[in-house]
Amino acid sequence: DADVTQTPRNRITKTGKRIMLECSQTKGHDRMYWYRQDPGLGLRLIYYSFDVKDINKGEISDGYSVSRQAQAKFSLSLESAIPNQTALYFCATSFGVSSTDTQYFGPGTRLTVL
Amino acid sequence: TQLLEQSPQFLSIQEGENLTVYCNSSSVFSSLQWYRQEPGEGPVLLVTVVTGGEVKKLKRLTFQFGDARKDSSLHITAAQPGDTGLYLCAGPTSGSARQLTFGSGTQLTVLP
């Protein structure tokens, strides 16, 4: 089984709808991250969490919120989806806090907002 | 804003050819990482370089960190179709070592 799983893998929704993307990990890591990937822009950090009580905004947090329900679960919500939130979303985990630590990514969720 | 610029953006080559892709910045990085992302999957770490001038080899892949720690390169010898993927470089975000800044990537296609 995969260490970092994301659900759903694909989602099509309409403008204004509330969407939740879920991430679960079995690696036992405290650190979890949400990124979005757009063609030509690489990965951009939305939110990150270093433990259940520690939530931090990333580069592009506007329009998004997160919930860290447990060490193993980190959810990303779009309260009112808009078309420019159409993207590939990745969850990642890491063991340490150093920038040289490996980040382990899930398989991604492809979100389309019509 | 700290940027990592990767070039070329797209590269299509024949199996057996050699290639080099680049990751450049005007800023100094304490370390750089290279990830490879295959279609339908998340990025996977290939290597971390931390010392200026450092060279690391991973089978047919050779990674170099520039002496001034502002750039890095990835050289692939005798490319194979299995090397196809998006190659991303990443470094610690300025002012926040807890975050990574990613380049936009090089999409490599190796044709059989």
Side-chain angles (χ1 to χ4, degrees):
Chain A
D1 289 339
D3 295 319
V4 183
T5 58
Q6 294 184 233
T7 56
R9 293 294 312 276
N10 290 282
R11 181 71 184 268
I12 300 174
T13 190
K14 295 181 178 180
T15 298
K17 294 292 187 181
R18 185 178 187 274
I19 296 296
M20 178 180 287
L21 309 183
E22 299 186 347
C23 176
S24 295
Q25 53 113 348
T26 58
K27 299 189 76 66
H29 292 167
D30 285 328
R31 283 83 182 178
M32 298 187 74
Y33 311 80
W34 275 106
Y35 293 90
R36 68 175 278 175
Q37 185 176 41
D38 300 275
L41 293 178
L43 289 161
R44 292 181 292 166
L45 184 63
I46 306 172
Y47 271 94
Y48 61 103
S49 169
F50 279 15
D51 64 41
V52 175
K53 298 181 180 180
D54 178 68
I55 304 289
N56 304 278
K57 293 182 178 181
E59 178 188 354
I60 54 165
S61 59
D62 287 349
Y64 301 95
S65 63
V66 291
S67 173
R68 185 80 184 267
Q69 301 94 323
Q71 185 205 38
K73 297 184 181 297
F74 193 33
S75 299
L76 176 71
S77 293
L78 288 67
E79 296 301 327
S80 180
I82 56 177
N84 76 2
Q85 292 177 313
T86 292
L88 191 53
Y89 289 84
F90 287 101
C91 173
T93 75
S94 69
F95 174 72
V97 68
S98 169
S99 60
T100 59
D101 290 317
T102 303
Q103 291 199 9
Y104 297 88
F105 287 83
T109 294
R110 185 169 297 279
L111 176 65
T112 302
V113 183
L114 301 176
Chain B
T1 301
Q2 197 178 32
L3 293 176
L4 285 168
E5 298 181 350
Q6 292 191 243
S7 61
Q9 186 176 1
F10 297 97
L11 184 59
S12 181
I13 62 170
Q14 293 293 135
E15 181 176 2
E17 293 182 355
N18 301 332
L19 66 111
T20 303
V21 298
Y22 301 92
C23 174
N24 295 297
S25 177
S26 58
S27 304
V28 174
F29 283 85
S30 57
S31 63
L32 279 178
Q33 295 182 319
W34 285 90
Y35 287 79
R36 179 169 65 205
Q37 181 180 0
E38 298 183 11
E41 298 181 10
V44 175
L45 180 68
L46 296 173
V47 76
T48 300
V49 287
V50 298
T51 304
E54 182 177 6
V55 176
K56 282 192 172 180
K57 293 189 175 183
L58 184 65
K59 296 183 180 178
R60 293 175 294 98
L61 279 60
T62 301
F63 303 85
Q64 184 162 8
F65 199 12
D67 291 340
R69 291 185 287 125
K70 292 183 177 182
D71 56 87
S72 181
S73 63
L74 160 58
H75 181 79
I76 301 179
T77 303
Q80 298 177 1
D83 296 325
T84 293
L86 179 67
Y87 289 81
L88 296 160
C89 64
T93 302
S94 176
S96 177
R98 306 195 302 175
Q99 303 178 43
L100 283 179
T101 294
F102 282 82
S104 57
T106 292
Q107 180 64 54
L108 172 64
T109 302
V110 182
L111 303 170

